[in-house]
Amino acid sequence: MSQSKSASLMDSRIIIPAVGSAFAKLDPRALARNPVMFVVAVVSTLTTILFLRDLVTGGEDLGFSLQLNVWLWFTVLFANFAEAVAEGRGKAQADSLRKTRTETQAKLLTGSDLKSYKMVPGTSLKVGDVVLVEAGDIIPSDGEVIEGVASVNEAAITGESAPVIRESGGDRSAVTGGTQVLSDWIRVRISAAAGSTFIDRMIALVEGAERQKTPNEIALNILLAGMTLIFVLAVATIPSFATYAGGAIPVIVLVALFVTLIPTTIGALLSAIGIAGMDRLVRFNVLAMSGRAVEAAGDIDTLLLDKTGTITLGNRQATELRPIAGVSERDLADAAQLASLADETPEGRSIVVLAKEKYGIRARDMAQLHASFVPFTAQSRMSGVDVEGSSIRKGAVDAVLSYVGGSASAHPESVREIQAIADGIAKAGGTPLAVARDGRLMGVVHLKDIVKGGIRERFAELRRMGIRTVMITGDNPMTAAAIAAEAGVDDFLAQATPENKLSLIREEQGKGKLVAMCGDGTNDAPALAQADVGVAMNTGTVAAREAGNMVDLDSDPTKLIEIVEIGKQLLMTRGALTTFSIANDIAKYFAIIPAMFLAFYPQLSTLNIMGLASPQSAILSAIIFNALVIVALIPLSLKGVKYRAVGAGALLSRNLLVYGLGGVMVPFIGIKAIDLAITALGLV
Amino acid sequence: MTLNGWIQILVFCGIVILLVKPLGAYMTRVFNGERTLLSPLFVPLERGLYRLAGTHEKEEQHWTSYAFSLLLFNLAGFFILYLVQRFQGALPFNPAGMTAVGPELSFNTAASFMTNTNWQNYGGESTMSYLVQMAGLTVQNFASAATGIAIAVALIRGFSRASGKSIGNFWVDMTRTTVYILLPACIILTLVYVYLGVPQTLGAYVTATTLEGAQQTIALGPVASQLAIKMLGTNGGGFFNANSAHPFENPDAISNLIQMVTIFALGAGLTNVFGRMVGNERQGWAIFATMGVLFVAGVVVTYWAEAAGNPLVHAMGIDGGNMEGKEVRFGIALSSLFAVITTAASCGAVNAMHGSFTALGGLIPLINMELGEVIVGGVGAGFYGILLFVVLAVFVAGLMVGRTPEYLGKKIEAKEVKMAVLAILCLPTAMLIFTAIAVILPTGVASIGNPGPHGFSEILYAYTSAAANNGSAFGGLTGNTPWYNITIGIAMLMGRFLVIIPALAIAGSLVTKKTVPASAGTFPTDGSLFVGLLCGVILIVGGLTFFPALALGPIVEHLAMISGQTF
């Protein structure tokens, strides 16, 4: 996917086609999806017909009537335009995705031995077919690796050019159609038929073609339709009231009042806000399988976060050397460094780094030392080096103790000392690594989980948002508690298994809470499905990807936090623009009511508090303001209202001030300014 | 405006505030079926009634059967009331020899008393026998008040219960409200009113010889007992045509104060019942505060407008405020206060003639009713009315904290919004459409007593009062015509039942939902911010609809008065 994160809001490549589709969306079938704008289109059609009739029969104020008609239609067009711009941004991404979906040839394996293959078009593959994909081939469709290991370039979907490993078994067995195998070969069992692959779904999602209204959007639409009905009553009864008072009001003026009163602003921007919310996730390289999931993200009460990779850096690091009595720290450092020189594990490398940084011991060349490396095995649970006649070992404390065995019994106090140090390290959440040289215990290396920088602040922020964080880890409770305290999470689940993860989610949900989690393995699938927001890692298995309702293409579990923010932003934008739209009505009444009734109740000019030039300019200014405010708010609806983690009370008072009070004030200023402009231009 | 006037207003407000907690505590116990002081006395009676009705106090109802029971009960009440009016000539307790009430008027009156409106197109002392007043009208005063309270309690259960199915038992709620709350309070109030000089007799009207030697018939009757429930149940239907302006129905300042306090007492107490039932009294106080802010604003405007009076009268050398249509024993402050109270609550009793108020003074009672009478409101009705606005306010503004809307842990979703919108929509429908037809229909216009905007206000006020189930009138309008009897009757039924059914549907939907625990991310609904928001939503959503109509009625009348023209 093109990483067009910097795509500006007003890119001409999006704007120009959007103008065209704004007109195309005048199709009644398209308009009917949006009750408020549909009503505007209906009344605009009515006034246009009346205008045409007056044109033929020679009515009065044709210029005024024409302008009102034009602005009424602009109102509808601007709403269509807002939606088209939002969709256009998604379309640009869909187009780049579509390029990857070029016609591929697949090597369909035939026969029971799966040895021979025949070339078939990728689109003819059925679920369950097994294909061979070799270096250079494009994977024809989504599937699961059943044999082999290969490096795959998934830049087409993730935008990340570094290849990833895909292999049978384990948690990295899912492959995506449209990605390319760079080396080796794999046999893939197809799991999606043509047209329903991951990329197809992505295209549909970003284009908004299959966009379903979300539950909250449906509820909001009901409210907007209800308000429209209320204003139908308010406006439709005016002619009769006016007749009683001995006056008459032209239909076009009634329509103008009606259109300015009904919530056109939010009605016009509602679908753009929804599309933009999904789009923000896509730009963030997260695919939400439904809009419902994005809404649910805003409501999350509990976040389950895996310790490794999310809260801590992936690997533990040596932070401290603890020699026993009679051994200097430097000697221990020297031994530990030698034992780790050839150890390519991150833990081993971190010991070398510690020795250099803290004790100034430079890295040495194994070959020059004529040293031979003793690799780690599952049986010995140690690794080490044999050099210049001495042998150095490091490993799990009990393994090293049994290695030194008999010689240790000669020094019981050193065994006790080692065990005391090791216990202390374990209590603090670290992993102890014992070091021995020539059968003599030397000390312990303290390996520590390194909590990611800034993560504590993020959790504090989440707490202010009202979200509880729970750390999930396979560590024992003691270690888990220490890391949880350091990272500042609210709770932890130690010695986590898929079963107790699932029951934790159910327990939280039983209390009425909404839970989000991320996972990648097949054994995460039940929990992912149970969670209200389940983010599957793109590197994960097919099962995990199917179970979650979001897929993170970057496979970065930290993103859960941003996903929640995006969900909140979407809901806030909706609320803010609805509030703004409703608050606008006060000024519009003050503009139009005195203008409307002035002919028979001149006293009502007192209500013209804006001092608008004439009844006609007042009505025209109100309808122009009403149309232009839609355009003015397109950028806000696409970008979203900024979310601040300051607690609901503070957030609400701020937003009420800006969008509620602002919504009352802005139209007074706007309508007055437009009135001055159109009067100066001589339009009325 | 005088210091004395303000002190009287403050005394009233103080008493109401002091009553909220004790009444709330007592009523909560009653609705929860817990033991109260009166239990030893009434439990056997209560149980007996349930056995007669074939129900049990532990039996619970789904919202649909709750609504069905309610409709059935009200329908029966409607027919009984209709029939006793039609046959009153043949029934006992009729010393004045009243003849049968006409069919349209009987329909109007039956609808009126069943819906807790008490719009009166008749003069009590010249139309209704004692039997109709006592067994017909007063019984419905109790029944309609208890119905309103039952609905409010059912809706509160929707919020307070989690993952349930039922919202209570209509028969039990009705019985408990009547037996433990309305009856004991009314017995005490009746005795107090009698002590203060209100008649309570089944004897015939008295004829007196005046100083000039003329014969005057003085109407009497069982006034005190009807007065007690008329206020406490926010019914408002006067025993006499002049309602609480009549010296026998409101003899002095003390009886006036008791009447004003009892209008608000149960409605205010229900806010506290709500707080207690949902487990946080502050939630109830927030709603009470919202009502309080809107109420005080109304009192200030009306009192100011009435005290300022009419500049055209001042120009004739007559100083002072507007005393037209007011009783001297109450004066401007208490008449203004009473007018705002009676329209804020859906009482409709009057101690002064609202049609004679200044344009702005009369505007406030109109707005109070157009907002749906949610400022304390009718017993129960005001509370479920304001909860409908809460649903809308929370839905719109709740989104602005970045969560899907919720109130007291219950998610507000499409169904709740749909029902709240339906309920809120029915009021302007009844108020505006009937007004729009009446003002251009010759038979509608023929009934108005004054030309121009004032006449418009009379019609608007009539339908507003009817749909809001208030029952007060703007004077001037001759309501006892077939057109007004029937349309006002329909407006009353719409305003009552088209709100009740959606409110119960919301209760039924909410009760099934889980309660989401509150967190730092939850929209706080027990503080001043929420009070301000709710006031704003009530004024904008409830009030803006009526701006064109108000502009053509009281507003233009006021502006005309300033420029020297009256109607």
Side-chain angles (χ1 to χ4, degrees):
Chain A
M1 169 180 319
S2 68
Q3 298 296 294
S4 51
K5 285 194 174 117
S6 59
S8 90
L9 288 170
M10 290 300 155
D11 189 331
S12 64
R13 281 169 303 175
I14 292 170
I15 297 297
I16 293 162
V19 173
S21 56
F23 283 93
K25 281 169 184 284
L26 287 176
D27 181 340
R29 283 164 300 181
L31 280 174
R33 276 174 58 89
N34 183 339
V36 177
M37 295 325 292
F38 184 72
V39 169
V40 177
V42 169
V43 294
S44 304
T45 311
L46 172 74
T47 56
T48 308
I49 294 169
L50 290 177
F51 170 74
L52 293 175
R53 186 199 65 186
D54 288 350
L55 201 60
V56 176
T57 60
E60 289 171 28
D61 288 333
L62 283 175
F64 171 64
S65 176
L66 174 67
Q67 290 187 63
L68 277 185
N69 271 302
V70 167
W71 283 102
L72 284 173
W73 283 113
F74 269 143
T75 310
V76 183
L77 288 171
F78 288 161
N80 290 347
F81 176 72
E83 193 179 71
V85 169
E87 284 173 354
R89 280 149 58 90
K91 279 213 178 70
Q93 286 168 321
D95 287 342
S96 68
L97 277 174
R98 216 173 256 121
K99 285 187 196 119
T100 66
R101 211 180 45 171
T102 46
E103 187 63 14
T104 48
Q105 289 291 310
K107 296 167 178 165
L108 179 66
L109 294 165
T110 53
S112 52
D113 56 348
L114 298 179
K115 284 284 184 290
S116 53
Y117 64 80
K118 62 176 183 188
M119 297 299 288
V120 298
T123 50
S124 71
L125 292 173
K126 293 185 293 295
V127 176
D129 284 348
V130 178
V131 295
L132 173 71
V133 192
E134 292 172 299
D137 292 349
I138 302 276
I139 299 174
S141 187
D142 294 0
E144 185 151 20
V145 180
I146 54 170
E147 194 183 344
V149 184
S151 62
V152 179
N153 176 3
E154 294 196 338
I157 52 168
T158 63
E160 178 61 57
S161 55
V164 292
I165 300 296
R166 293 286 180 230
E167 61 192 339
S168 62
D171 289 343
R172 289 182 296 175
S173 60
V175 288
T176 306
T179 57
Q180 191 180 28
V181 171
L182 295 179
S183 69
D184 307 286
W185 58 269
I186 45 178
R187 289 206 177 104
V188 175
R189 183 182 293 118
I190 300 300
S191 61
S196 62
T197 63
F198 193 65
I199 288 198
D200 292 319
R201 292 207 327 246
M202 278 179 74
I203 292 171
L205 278 169
V206 296
E207 272 191 326
E210 291 173 17
R211 209 176 79 83
Q212 300 277 318
K213 285 198 183 118
T214 57
N216 176 260
E217 213 178 338
I218 291 170
L220 188 51
N221 257 317
I222 292 171
L223 176 72
L224 299 181
M227 297 206 57
T228 307
L229 271 179
I230 287 179
F231 286 117
V232 167
L233 290 172
V235 175
T237 48
I238 290 177
S240 140
F241 298 168
T243 308
Y244 172 87
I249 294 160
V251 173
I252 182 83
V253 173
L254 290 172
V255 166
L257 175 64
F258 173 66
V259 169
T260 52
L261 289 181
I262 63 175
T264 47
T265 314
I266 181 66
L269 297 172
L270 189 55
S271 63
I273 294 169
I275 297 168
M278 292 284 266
D279 189 54
R280 267 198 296 283
L281 273 181
V282 171
R283 272 160 208 280
F284 214 64
N285 266 357
V286 175
L287 287 184
M289 294 305 168
S290 70
R292 187 188 283 262
V294 187
E295 259 172 26
D299 278 349
I300 291 304
D301 300 290
T302 307
L303 265 188
L304 304 190
L305 297 165
D306 278 327
K307 182 197 81 175
T308 308
T310 310
I311 294 170
T312 61
L313 295 171
N315 311 300
R316 287 169 295 196
Q317 290 181 10
T319 55
E320 193 189 4
L321 297 175
R322 302 275 299 275
I324 58 169
V327 179
S328 76
E329 260 187 68
R330 202 187 152 79
D331 286 345
L332 176 60
D334 183 63
Q337 191 241 27
L338 275 175
S340 308
L341 277 177
D343 182 357
E344 284 301 313
T345 64
E347 287 86 356
R349 280 202 297 262
S350 77
I351 293 173
V352 177
V353 170
L354 181 72
K356 181 176 173 192
E357 284 181 353
K358 204 163 169 194
Y359 304 98
I361 301 171
R362 296 181 61 88
R364 285 162 281 193
D365 186 14
M366 291 281 282
Q368 274 182 3
L369 293 173
H370 306 291
S372 63
F373 181 57
V374 181
F376 178 90
T377 67
Q379 286 77 36
S380 69
R381 293 192 293 138
M382 291 187 303
S383 65
V385 69
D386 290 326
V387 61
E388 294 162 359
S390 79
S391 61
I392 307 170
R393 294 289 180 276
K394 70 173 203 303
V397 175
D398 56 339
V400 173
L401 284 181
S402 71
Y403 165 73
V404 293
S407 57
S409 58
H411 308 281
E413 62 283 4
S414 67
V415 173
R416 267 197 302 278
E417 207 181 341
I418 287 279
Q419 271 166 340
I421 296 172
D423 284 350
I425 290 172
K427 273 201 190 96
T431 308
L433 212 57
V435 180
R437 183 168 202 160
D438 300 329
R440 199 168 65 87
L441 292 167
M442 295 192 73
V444 181
V445 179
H446 183 170
L447 287 179
K448 201 176 161 196
D449 263 318
I450 304 296
V451 171
K452 282 185 177 175
I455 201 88
R456 212 185 156 81
E457 288 69 36
R458 294 299 294 274
F459 291 145
E461 196 178 301
L462 283 168
R463 205 166 298 120
R464 284 198 298 276
M465 289 159 71
I467 295 169
R468 215 167 72 91
T469 44
V470 180
M471 180 180 85
I472 306 289
T473 173
D475 293 342
N476 64 56
M478 211 163 62
T479 311
I483 297 169
E486 193 185 342
V489 293
D490 297 309
D491 203 353
F492 63 87
L493 176 69
Q495 286 162 348
T497 61
E499 292 76 33
N500 60 20
K501 230 168 163 175
L502 187 62
S503 65
L504 175 68
I505 294 175
R506 290 214 172 113
E507 188 187 316
E508 290 285 310
Q509 288 173 333
K511 290 187 228 155
K513 294 179 174 179
L514 265 66
V515 183
M517 68 161 287
C518 54
D520 51 6
T522 300
N523 56 16
D524 282 332
L528 278 172
Q530 179 72 34
D532 300 281
V533 174
V535 183
M537 300 293 110
N538 189 47
T539 52
T541 59
V542 172
R545 269 184 3 192
E546 291 294 326
N549 48 15
M550 290 195 192
V551 176
D552 177 15
L553 301 174
D554 296 339
S555 306
D556 171 10
T558 330
K559 273 197 193 159
L560 263 182
I561 299 169
E562 277 86 3
I563 291 172
V564 169
E565 282 186 2
I566 288 173
K568 287 193 177 295
Q569 211 182 7
L570 170 75
L571 295 170
M572 275 173 51
T573 311
R574 251 183 226 156
L577 290 181
T578 308
T579 306
F580 184 83
S581 191
I582 295 171
N584 271 200
D585 280 358
I586 297 174
K588 291 166 183 170
Y589 263 131
F590 277 100
I592 296 185
I593 291 289
M596 212 172 192
F597 299 141
L598 208 60
F600 45 97
Y601 283 139
Q603 300 94 334
L604 285 175
S605 64
T606 314
L607 294 183
N608 181 8
I609 53 176
M610 286 176 270
L612 304 177
S614 69
Q616 290 198 343
S617 78
I619 293 164
L620 194 56
S621 304
I623 199 89
I624 293 176
F625 174 83
N626 193 57
L628 289 183
V629 81
I630 296 173
V631 180
L633 290 174
I634 290 177
L636 180 68
S637 61
L638 296 184
K639 271 193 312 204
V641 172
K642 191 165 162 44
Y643 180 77
R644 289 154 213 266
V646 289
L651 198 61
L652 183 67
S653 47
R654 186 182 176 281
N655 285 334
L656 269 181
L657 200 67
V658 175
Y659 300 100
L661 204 59
V664 174
M665 306 305 296
V666 165
F668 279 103
I669 302 162
I671 291 173
K672 177 68 184 171
I674 294 169
D675 177 72
L676 290 174
I678 59 175
T679 313
L681 292 172
L683 291 176
V684 285
Chain B
M1 291 188 279
T2 60
L3 181 66
N4 179 286
W6 284 117
I7 289 174
Q8 303 205 52
I9 291 169
L10 283 178
V11 166
F12 165 77
C13 294
I15 294 174
V16 171
I17 292 170
L18 288 177
L19 279 176
V20 169
K21 250 180 112 81
L23 277 176
Y26 176 71
M27 288 198 283
T28 308
R29 295 188 72 83
V30 170
F31 300 136
N32 287 339
E34 292 164 32
R35 209 180 151 73
T36 65
L37 208 63
L38 295 171
S39 295
L41 213 55
F42 291 128
V43 165
L45 168 69
E46 205 192 331
R47 297 250 163 87
L49 285 171
Y50 298 149
R51 216 165 301 136
L52 272 178
T55 181
H56 189 273
E57 59 189 307
K58 296 269 183 289
E59 201 173 292
E60 291 263 331
Q61 289 175 309
H62 186 254
W63 82 265
T64 46
S65 51
Y66 197 100
F68 182 73
S69 306
L70 184 150
L71 291 177
L72 202 67
F73 178 78
N74 277 281
L75 195 68
F78 173 84
F79 278 116
I80 292 170
L81 186 51
Y82 180 82
L83 292 174
V84 292
Q85 290 178 79
R86 299 288 292 133
F87 294 105
Q88 74 168 351
L91 295 168
F93 298 108
N94 189 4
M98 305 291 182
T99 52
V101 183
E104 290 99 359
L105 184 56
S106 295
F107 162 74
N108 184 282
T109 308
S112 175
F113 279 75
M114 183 212 10
T115 57
N116 198 264
T117 311
N118 295 27
W119 173 269
Q120 293 167 297
N121 271 345
Y122 63 90
E125 62 271 47
S126 57
T127 319
M128 302 298 180
S129 71
Y130 290 169
L131 181 88
V132 175
Q133 295 264 29
M134 290 192 304
L137 304 180
T138 307
V139 165
Q140 275 306 310
N141 278 352
F142 276 95
S144 64
T147 301
I149 293 176
I151 299 157
V153 173
L155 185 53
I156 294 172
R157 290 196 187 108
F159 283 103
S160 66
R161 292 180 179 179
S163 310
K165 280 198 179 72
S166 56
I167 55 171
N169 182 326
F170 173 72
W171 308 108
V172 173
D173 287 342
M174 281 289 294
T175 308
R176 286 194 178 139
T177 307
T178 312
V179 170
Y180 290 95
I181 299 170
L182 298 177
L183 271 177
C186 283
I187 290 170
I188 296 168
L189 285 167
T190 304
L191 294 175
V192 172
Y193 286 134
V194 169
Y195 170 77
L196 291 170
V198 178
Q200 177 73 9
T201 174
L202 290 175
Y205 294 171
V206 176
T207 307
T209 309
T210 65
L211 284 174
E212 301 105 61
Q215 296 289 302
Q216 186 186 0
T217 305
I218 297 174
L220 296 171
V223 185
S225 56
Q226 188 175 331
L227 177 61
I229 185 64
K230 158 192 153 189
M231 294 303 175
L232 192 69
T234 62
N235 302 283
F239 193 91
F240 300 111
N241 194 25
N243 209 302
S244 284
H246 194 294
F248 281 176
E249 214 167 318
N250 193 358
D252 55 18
I254 295 291
S255 68
N256 193 59
L257 179 65
I258 296 173
Q259 296 195 12
M260 292 193 299
V261 168
T262 45
I263 293 176
F264 267 9
L266 297 186
L270 274 173
T271 61
N272 189 254
V273 171
F274 173 68
R276 285 172 195 270
M277 281 187 153
V278 300
N280 179 3
E281 282 189 61
R282 285 177 57 91
Q283 300 286 356
W285 285 112
I287 294 200
F288 181 78
T290 309
M291 294 169 165
V293 168
L294 294 171
F295 171 71
V296 170
V299 171
V300 169
V301 173
T302 303
Y303 186 30
W304 169 79
E306 293 308 301
N310 186 337
L312 301 177
V313 176
H314 297 165
M316 289 188 274
I318 305 164
D319 285 335
N322 175 29
M323 274 303 288
E324 183 192 320
K326 293 187 180 66
E327 292 289 302
V328 177
R329 67 183 186 283
F330 303 131
I332 291 175
L334 291 186
S335 300
S336 304
L337 180 62
F338 200 108
V340 178
I341 294 169
T342 198
T343 50
S346 100
C347 185
V350 292
N351 75 351
M353 296 303 121
H354 296 178
S356 299
F357 276 30
T358 58
L360 289 186
L363 173 71
I364 295 299
L366 249 182
I367 292 179
N368 277 343
M369 294 186 288
E370 285 167 346
L371 296 180
E373 289 179 340
V374 294
I375 306 166
V376 181
V379 286
F383 192 77
Y384 61 71
I386 203 166
L387 279 189
L388 295 172
F389 277 110
V390 167
V391 166
L392 288 196
V394 162
F395 184 78
V396 172
L399 281 173
M400 286 198 292
V401 302
R403 288 173 69 89
T404 57
E406 60 203 354
Y407 182 57
L408 304 172
K410 298 280 189 159
K411 286 283 175 204
I412 306 296
E413 290 163 306
K415 178 150 189 211
E416 290 76 27
V417 172
K418 192 190 295 171
M419 290 300 152
V421 166
L422 266 182
I424 287 173
L425 193 60
C426 83
L427 287 186
T429 307
M431 293 172 184
L432 290 175
I433 290 185
F434 280 123
T435 305
I437 299 170
V439 294
I440 50 170
L441 213 61
T443 173
V445 180
S447 280
I448 61 178
N450 306 76
H454 195 82
F456 179 81
S457 298
E458 287 170 7
I459 295 177
L460 178 65
Y461 194 103
Y463 288 111
T464 303
S465 171
N469 295 147
N470 182 275
S472 69
F474 211 47
L477 188 77
T478 311
N480 190 8
T481 67
W483 164 260
Y484 282 109
N485 272 331
I486 291 170
T487 52
I488 287 178
I490 294 171
M492 291 187 287
L493 295 173
M494 285 173 72
R496 180 76 165 178
F497 294 101
L498 294 186
V499 180
I500 286 179
I501 307 290
L504 286 176
I506 291 177
S509 165
L510 286 175
V511 83
T512 60
K513 297 188 183 191
K514 278 191 253 183
T515 303
V516 184
S519 72
T522 318
F523 175 13
T525 54
D526 58 356
S528 55
L529 188 64
F530 179 71
V531 172
L533 169 73
L534 189 54
C535 285
V537 169
I538 291 172
L539 289 176
I540 292 183
V541 177
L544 275 188
T545 325
F546 297 97
F547 195 73
L550 292 175
L552 294 174
I555 293 175
V556 75
E557 192 186 343
H558 171 75
L559 295 171
M561 177 186 82
I562 291 173
S563 59
Q565 191 190 5
T566 53
F567 299 93

